[in-house]
Amino acid sequence: MIDIQTWYDRLVRLGEEDYPFISHEGVMYTPRQIFSHAQANDAIWASLQPLLNPGEITWELLKERILKRYAEGRLLQMYILGRSWTAEEIAEEVRKDSAAGQEFMLMEKKFIEEMSR
Amino acid sequence: MVSIPAGAKIVTSRALNVEHGGHIANGSKHVVDSAIENGYTIFDNVAEQAVHDTVHQGIQMNDPFIFYGAGHGNETTFTGDNLDVIFTTADCEILAGRLVNLHSCSTGSRLGPEIIKKGGSSFLGFVKDWGWLAGDDIDTNDPNADPYDCIYAKPFWESANQYMISLFTGRETKRAYMECYEKYNEWIEYWKESDDPGAAQIIGLLAYDRDIMVLIEEILPSPPPSQPLWKPIVAMLPIFGIGLVVNQWDEITKLFTQ
């Protein structure tokens, strides 16, 4: 079980507190929202808590995270799949749901899994 | 498990004149430096020397214990300078009996297993495309560009290089694989504490690269395809004179599958 305060502090430091982290019953939750429910110890927290190890990660959520990262100018140039990809190209592939876009989403999934450990 | 004997010979192929060649040649140079520091004899084919004929001749003449390659690749092929094809699944017998590390995209999916099938003692590579990041101001094609000089690129190259560096310090292959895996984890933990805007992307790609790394030392034979018990029984019935006709096979099998 992760220590929710440590988990949240780390995501704040990384500037990730407002990126969708898990989705539950069709609703995406950011770390800020999850932490707020944890502090209130409410019914939503009770349903979200088991999902954090790691949570349900949908393609939709991953896409939203990458596009948000792009909009905020936080995507770095990447060298993979035989070429270099600018931030704009990464975002475009993700929007198109292409094979490359799906690989970029899998990398984003790895980040969430790492932060759920 | 394989360990490198003291004084073992190493032949390399390190591309320079390819896309991102500066980072490929200079990132892999750290492996060469480590080999020399640890007293190994290295026949280093870099840039124009990293082509099929030179590399194959180098292996034939020097009979190295290790082959180390850094260059572009795919599921079936490892390439050198100007994308000259060095090894393919149809042309890798020369690696029999050798320990191989290909720092190259996707070669772990088909070429690596084929090298082991043809007698390679050990293979470390990646089953999908290995990737790295760099700042927008970095020119990865610059022949002098060293990824260790870029805070974003260094974690990827240092992690991948750790396998060979661990081998050179006396580790056997499985231990070296684990140390390489741990190097990725060390960098992931480092970036978890960062407030750099690129940290999340770095963590995700480091974990991706770590998890596509494979060490192959044995190819297990495929199990025979499972066959329903009734097939051999039915096939034997005519032998026992029960009078079933082979061309009625479909009707017979239907009876047993209904």
Side-chain angles (χ1 to χ4, degrees):
Chain A
M1 188 62 70
I2 57 176
D3 171 358
I4 192 73
Q5 183 74 55
T6 307
W7 171 83
Y8 182 64
D9 289 347
R10 194 171 251 180
L11 284 159
V12 169
R13 191 167 46 244
L14 288 165
E16 293 283 315
E17 68 272 33
D18 294 319
Y19 281 66
F21 196 85
I22 53 173
S23 60
H24 179 55
E25 294 179 345
V27 180
M28 293 182 194
Y29 294 89
T30 65
R32 188 192 298 278
Q33 291 165 327
I34 295 165
F35 186 65
S36 167
H37 287 297
Q39 283 189 312
N41 202 20
D42 59 15
I44 292 176
W45 168 240
S47 60
L48 294 181
Q49 192 177 12
L51 303 177
L52 287 177
N53 290 310
E56 182 188 342
I57 306 171
T58 63
W59 290 110
E60 202 57 35
L61 182 141
L62 297 170
K63 185 182 283 190
E64 182 149 333
R65 288 179 60 85
I66 294 174
L67 296 180
K68 181 174 168 62
R69 203 183 297 293
Y70 170 64
E72 294 177 358
R74 294 180 59 191
L75 270 184
L76 291 167
Q77 183 153 228
M78 196 183 294
Y79 307 98
I80 196 166
L81 306 169
R83 51 167 289 193
S84 58
W85 303 83
T86 63
E88 192 163 36
E89 288 168 331
I90 294 169
E92 183 56 26
E93 295 300 319
V94 167
R95 268 193 215 102
K96 284 193 300 193
D97 237 340
S98 66
Q102 290 189 1
E103 288 302 315
F104 299 141
M105 286 191 263
L106 286 177
M107 293 161 201
E108 193 66 25
K109 182 169 184 253
K110 289 285 178 189
F111 169 75
I112 295 178
E113 288 171 351
E114 285 300 319
M115 298 312 292
S116 301
R117 287 178 201 277
Chain B
M1 274 192 316
V2 183
S3 302
I4 308 181
K9 293 178 195 167
I10 302 155
V11 166
T12 76
S13 174
R14 300 188 299 115
L16 173 65
N17 299 297
V18 290
E19 188 77 5
H20 318 306
H23 269 200
I24 293 170
N26 295 307
S28 59
K29 176 75 164 47
H30 295 277
V31 169
V32 173
D33 292 344
S34 173
I36 294 166
E37 277 166 27
N38 285 284
Y40 292 95
T41 306
I42 190 156
F43 300 91
D44 188 24
N45 297 298
V46 65
E48 290 81 4
Q49 300 298 307
V51 289
H52 179 278
D53 291 353
T54 309
V55 170
H56 281 244
Q57 279 167 18
I59 294 171
Q60 280 164 350
M61 287 169 59
N62 298 300
D63 189 22
F65 190 83
I66 299 170
F67 179 81
Y68 167 71
H72 292 294
N74 62 34
E75 288 85 348
T76 60
T77 307
F78 170 70
T79 69
D81 219 44
N82 289 308
L83 300 180
D84 196 54
V85 173
I86 309 277
F87 301 120
T88 67
T89 46
D91 177 21
C92 61
E93 292 84 355
I94 199 167
L95 295 173
R98 310 190 200 285
L99 186 159
V100 179
N101 175 202
L102 296 183
H103 188 168
S104 180
C105 291
S106 299
T107 49
S109 75
R110 288 181 59 194
L111 179 56
E114 193 62 32
I115 289 168
I116 299 303
K117 268 189 209 165
K118 288 181 174 155
S121 62
S122 180
F123 174 89
L124 186 111
F126 300 95
V127 292
K128 291 171 79 173
D129 282 6
W130 182 86
W132 75 104
L133 298 166
D136 291 344
D137 57 329
I138 301 289
D139 177 8
T140 56
N141 292 311
D142 178 346
N144 297 312
D146 184 343
Y148 278 34
D149 293 337
C150 168
I151 58 160
Y152 299 130
K154 184 179 180 183
F156 297 91
W157 285 91
E158 194 178 77
S159 298
N161 287 347
Q162 185 61 48
Y163 176 69
M164 293 302 294
I165 290 169
S166 287
L167 289 176
F168 295 148
T169 53
R171 307 287 191 247
E172 49 76 21
T173 46
K174 284 181 184 158
R175 176 82 183 273
Y177 169 88
M178 288 311 300
E179 289 185 358
C180 184
Y181 193 94
E182 279 310 311
K183 181 60 78 174
Y184 276 105
N185 285 342
E186 277 173 30
W187 274 114
I188 287 169
E189 291 306 314
Y190 170 87
W191 283 98
K192 279 184 183 177
E193 303 303 326
S194 168
D195 59 2
D196 189 291
Q201 194 183 355
I202 294 168
I203 292 167
L205 185 53
L206 279 169
Y208 179 92
D209 285 345
R210 178 198 64 196
D211 294 344
I212 60 169
M213 179 173 64
V214 285
L215 175 65
I216 308 169
E217 302 199 317
E218 186 180 12
I219 302 290
L220 298 173
S222 308
S226 61
Q227 183 168 251
L229 186 58
W230 56 264
K231 274 195 174 175
I233 295 172
V234 172
M236 288 174 70
L237 291 178
I239 297 168
F240 293 105
I242 300 175
L244 296 174
V245 181
V246 173
N247 64 12
Q248 289 177 327
W249 183 258
D250 288 343
E251 292 303 316
I252 296 163
T253 54
K254 270 183 207 163
L255 287 173
F256 282 85
T257 53
Q258 278 168 356

